[in-house]
Structures are given as C-alpha cells and as structure tokens.
C-alpha cells in the first residue's frame, strides 16, 4: 500500500496524539437501533412543554437502555431513527412543545450534560448528551429545532410569518457529551411541522476511531443535495436516521439502503422506526462488502431491535472520492395513494406491455422460457437480461423484465432510469410490478442497461426480505452498468439497477 496510514486533521485543540492516526485496515464498532416509538395519540393537539417532556421521556428511557446495551457490546457510535423522540403527524403549532433551540456547533462548543445551565429549555439535548457521556460513545439522534429567523427582512423571505423556523434535525454528541454536529433535513416528506432550511447544509463530523461521517435524513438519500454533494467531496461513511415506509418491489428500506451503499461504494448506518401500521421497519449497517440488517416480518412482535457490528474504516482518497457510483435503487418509502400517469402513452412492440410499478408506467417483457435473452426499452432507454432459472423446475412463478425512463411524480418528484427483474405477484402479466415478498425461483442472471447517469444503485432482494450481495457489478465509461449474479440462496423477488437522473429533477 502506498498509504499505510491516514492522517485526519482536527480543528479542535483538544486532540490527543494517537487519535489522529488511523491505520489502514482499522475497524470500529457501530450500532443502530430500530425503535418502536411511543406516539402521541393526538399529534395535532398542542400540548404544554411539560406534557411534551413527559411523552418524550418514554422514548428517551428506551434510548438510555439501548445506549447501555450498545456500550456493553463495545459500540463507539450509536444511531437512533428519525422522529424517534417525538413521533410524527404534528402540525406546525402542535409540535411546539417538543422543540428546543439547538446552538450551532460550528459557532460554539457546548456540552449540555456538563453545562446544563447555559441554555434553558434544552432538556432533550441534555439527556442525549449525558447518555453519550455516560456510556462513552458517539450518539446520533433526531429531534425538532426551533430557530429565530434573521431580522433583515430581505433574508427572511423563506421564513414563516410566525418569525421562526422549525427544522427536522439530526444532532451528534461526542463520547464526552459535546454537541459536535447539527444537520437540518433538506428534503422533507410531507412534514407540515417542519421548514426546509434556507440553504442546503453539508454537514460532517470527525471521530477519533473512524474519521469522518456525513449526515443525511430519510428522503434526502434519493436526492443530489446533500447526499451526492457529500459523496463527491469524498465522504465515505454516512449516518442515516429514517422513518421510511416500505414499498416493494423497488423501494423497501433495506433494499435501498444496500443499493445506496453499493452504488456509492460507501458505508451507511441506517436506523429506522418500527411501526407496523405505517409499514416502517428495516435498519442496518452496510459497507461495500457486508450488510448487517434487520427487517421485521408480518406477525413478528412489534418491538425495537439493536444491531451492533464491527465495520472497516473506509479511507478517503484525499480529495477525489473512491466512490464508484455503479448502481442505485429508487426510493419507495413514503406512502401514496393516487395513480398518476403523466408520461405520454407509449408505443411498444407487441410482446411487451405496460404495467404500473410504484406509480410509474414500466415497459415489461415476460420471461417466458426457463433460459434466454431479453430486451425491453422505454423510449431509447433499454435493459437487457440474460437468464437461466435454477433448477429447471416446474415453478409456475411469473417473472418480467421492466424498464422505465421518466420522472416519478407521486409523493415526490425525481427523474429515473430503472432496469428491474421482478417476480410478478400473480399469474397474470397485469400483476407485474405489484408488491410481492416471497419467491421460490432461483435465477442466474446478467442484467444490463446503458444509463444516462453515473448514479446507478444496484440491489438484489430474495424471498422473505433477504438481501443478496451481487457477485459482480461494473460500470464502464459509457455508463453501461452490468450486474451479474448466480447461485442464489433463495428465490428472487427483485434485481434492480436504479438510476437517478439528478440532472433532470428540476425540469
Ligand atoms: C399519520 O398520518 C398517516 C397519513 O395521514 C396515517 O395513516 C397514520 O395513521 C398517522 N399516524 C399517526 C400515528 O397518527
Ligand atoms: C470501493 O471501496 C473500496 C474500499 O475503500 C476500494 O477498495 C474499492 O477500490 C472501491 N471500488 C471502486 C470501484 O472504486
Ligand atoms: C418468448 O418470447 C419471445 C419474445 O417475445 C418469443 O420470440 C418466443 O417465441 C417466446 N417463447 C415462447 C415459448 O412462447
């Protein structure tokens, strides 16, 4: 190796020698907690600060138990989910009792546990800080931040008439309890209680055990800002609190988490809410090489889950990123109800047909033999598949190869190019694209597309919400992305190359 050690520069003066040098091949212990959040049964009714604190106490008590368990297993960093402290479905007014004004750690150093008197109305920050300090680990949580708008009217144009902002916010505490990072979510998902920050925030923090981490929240992961900005600045380790509603066949939590980590060649520490009514489950820790994850199944007790894993430190390659951007998936988390076919009608060869997958009109062809080669196009965007079903069984499951190039417009607007091999939910081609979790048919395949973007996220989902690591994914300089896989351990539900055409999002 040319570089046997990576030197990390710290701005802070309290650096002890030894912490700054991370040798290549070093590792750390990380934890994520999938939290069954105690909800406010009447989230739209304003409540007093005191009642809000009584409510969040229940969630913070669980956080404290989990911090203790994680610390016992050696965790150096612990991540809690989006909305895990107060829950969701608040109005702008009804969330007021839960908000705290979070000082900017880039402007001042503050340890809420050690200096509780510096700011009033910061009970949640103090409790989180004391957990980090007490259990000697970095702790990431998500809460609401109330910030006054600037006084100059010109710069406050994005400000609400009530004179302040309310942000969906990730906070990070170092292992001695200092508030070291604050990130305001950029891409809100129908969150009436919160404001979009006036500028996109690109926020990272350094750790002595693993170097730098970048911060994202939920829906952010599908968009260029801040996610791709961070990747292109060389950040290789991401913290991802989320409250994600699952949507098969392309946007189940663990499926997209895996896809993002592989496509960007980064580590992702993802912590989701557990709520069966809202179809929220699926958390994990993903590196380019490994995946440690949890995804509850129907009938499982509705409870939290702590995951702890030893992960390799990913080195940043001074300036330019080592990220590959070879593949990606589409996000299917948030829920939706209306169908909207805004794309013009397509003419398709007679063997192909159009069926809606996650509200987008995919062009499909059926896998009508046990082995073969197929192509399907949506306009000029084409996907190729070479496949062989194993064993040459008498399975009657129907599979289809789908292509979509266009802008997804239901519950969020984002431009896509997707190649997907899916198991159809039924025996009829009209069921292709519908949700299905189980499959018996194992398929060896080579899936390929020529994309109009470098940002393609690959994933393979097997029966029972099990992830498989693609054996081979490569992208050439013409953005032809190829995923090859064989010897599946279980039946294939979805194999996907999910391309994000960020450059078309605003057209
Ligand atoms: C939140 O709102 C969604 C959609 O309106 C609804 O389905 C869900 O039940 C609500 N959840 C809670 C906890 O009130
Ligand atoms: C992905 O990251 C790993 C670990 O940093 C590195 O060895 C590998 O070369 C990267 N892959 C690509 C295609 O850049
Ligand atoms: C399968 O589909 C291909 C292309 O649509 C067609 O050429 C072929 O004859 C079909 N095979 C069977 C067994 O129907």
């Amino acid at each position: 190796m040319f570089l046997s050690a990576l030197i990390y520069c710290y701005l802070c003066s309290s650096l002890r020698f030894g912490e700054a040098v991370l040798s290549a091949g070093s590792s750390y212990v990380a934890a994520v907690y999938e939290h069954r959040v105690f909800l406010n049964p009447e989230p739209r009714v304003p409540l007093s600060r005191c009642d809000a604190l009584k409510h969040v106490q229940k969630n913070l008590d669980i956080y404290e138990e989990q911090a203790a368990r994680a610390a016992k297993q050696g965790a150096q960093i612990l991540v809690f989910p989006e909305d895990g402290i107060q829950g969701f479905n608040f109005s702008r007014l009804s969330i007021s009792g839960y908000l705290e004004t979070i000082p900017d750690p880039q402007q001042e150093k503050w340890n809420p546990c050690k200096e509780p008197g510096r700011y009033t109305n910061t009970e949640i920050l103090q409790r989180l800080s004391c957990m980090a300090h007490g259990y000697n680990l970095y702790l990431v949580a998500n809460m609401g931040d109330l910030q006054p708008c600037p006084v100059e009217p010109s710069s406050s144009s994005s400000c609400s008439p009530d004179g302040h902002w309310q942000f969906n916010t990730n906070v990070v505490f170092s292992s001695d309890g200092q508030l070291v990072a604050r990130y305001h979510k950029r891409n809100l998902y129908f969150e009436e209680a919160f404001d979009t920050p006036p500028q996109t925030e690109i926020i990272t923090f350094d750790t002595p055990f693993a170097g730098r981490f970048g911060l994202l929240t939920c829906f952010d992961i599908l968009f260029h800002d801040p996610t791709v900005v961070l990747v292109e600045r060389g950040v290789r380790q991401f913290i991802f609190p989320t409250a994600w509603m699952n949507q098969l066949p392309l946007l189940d939590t663990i499926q997209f988490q895996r896809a993002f980590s592989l496509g960007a060649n980064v580590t992702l520490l993802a912590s989701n809410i557990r709520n069966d009514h809202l179809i929220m489950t699926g958390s994990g820790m993903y590196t380019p090489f490994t995946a440690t994850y949890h995804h509850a199944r129907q009938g499982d007790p509705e409870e939290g889950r702590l995951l702890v894993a030893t992960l390799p430190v990913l080195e940043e390659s001074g300036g330019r990123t080592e990220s590959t951007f070879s593949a990606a998936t589409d996000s299917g988390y948030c829920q939706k109800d209306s169908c909207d076919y805004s794309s013009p009608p397509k003419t398709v060869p007679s063997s192909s047909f159009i069926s809606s997958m996650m509200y987008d009109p995919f062009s499909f062809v059926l896998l009508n033999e046990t082995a073969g080669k197929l192509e399907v196009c949506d306009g000029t965007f084409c996907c190729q598949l070479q496949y062989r079903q194993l064993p040459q069984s008498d399975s009657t499951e129907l599979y289809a190869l789908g292509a979509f190039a266009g802008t997804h417009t239901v519950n969020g607007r984002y431009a896509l190019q997707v190649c997907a091999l899916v198991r159809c939910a039924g025996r009829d081609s009209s069921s292709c694209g519908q949700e299905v979790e189980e499959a018996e048919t194992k398929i060896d395949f080579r899936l390929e597309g020529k994309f109009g973007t470098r940002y393609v996220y690959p994933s393979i989902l097997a029966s029972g919400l099990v992830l498989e690591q693609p054996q081979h994914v490569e992208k050439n300089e013409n953005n032809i992305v190829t995923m090859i896989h064989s010897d599946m351990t279980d039946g294939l539900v979805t194999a996907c190359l999910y391309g994000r055409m960020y450059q078309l999002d605003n057209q």
Side-chain angles (χ1 to χ4, degrees), residues 482-503:
T482 308
M483 175 162 69
I484 297 171
H485 195 63
S486 59
D487 301 323
M488 297 195 61
T489 55
D490 216 330
L492 178 69
V493 172
T494 307
C496 181
L497 296 172
Y498 192 88
R500 271 291 281 117
M501 305 284 283
Y502 301 114
Q503 71 275 22

Side-chain angles (χ1 to χ4, degrees), residues 39-44 87-90 245 275 277-278 335:
L39 294 170
N40 176 334
E42 293 186 306
R44 307 194 66 85
F88 20 66
N89 284 13
F90 297 99
M245 296 175 200
N275 183 302
H277 172 65
L278 297 175
Q335 68 199 23

Side-chain angles (χ1 to χ4, degrees), residues 379-440:
T380 57
F381 174 68
C382 296
C383 305
Q384 288 91 30
L385 176 74
Q386 202 176 328
Y387 69 99
R388 187 177 46 169
Q389 293 185 6
L390 290 174
Q392 314 288 350
S393 68
D394 50 359
S395 161
T396 56
E397 292 173 342
L398 189 63
Y399 281 83
L401 172 66
F404 174 70
T407 298
H408 177 91
T409 55
V410 178
N411 298 307
R413 184 182 175 83
Y414 38 91
L416 299 174
Q417 283 184 343
V418 179
C419 291
L421 168 58
V422 296
R423 190 198 148 195
C424 307
R427 303 274 178 86
D428 193 276
S429 61
S430 64
S431 71
C432 299
Q434 293 176 8
E435 298 201 16
V436 52
E437 289 188 12
E438 317 285 340
E440 288 177 357

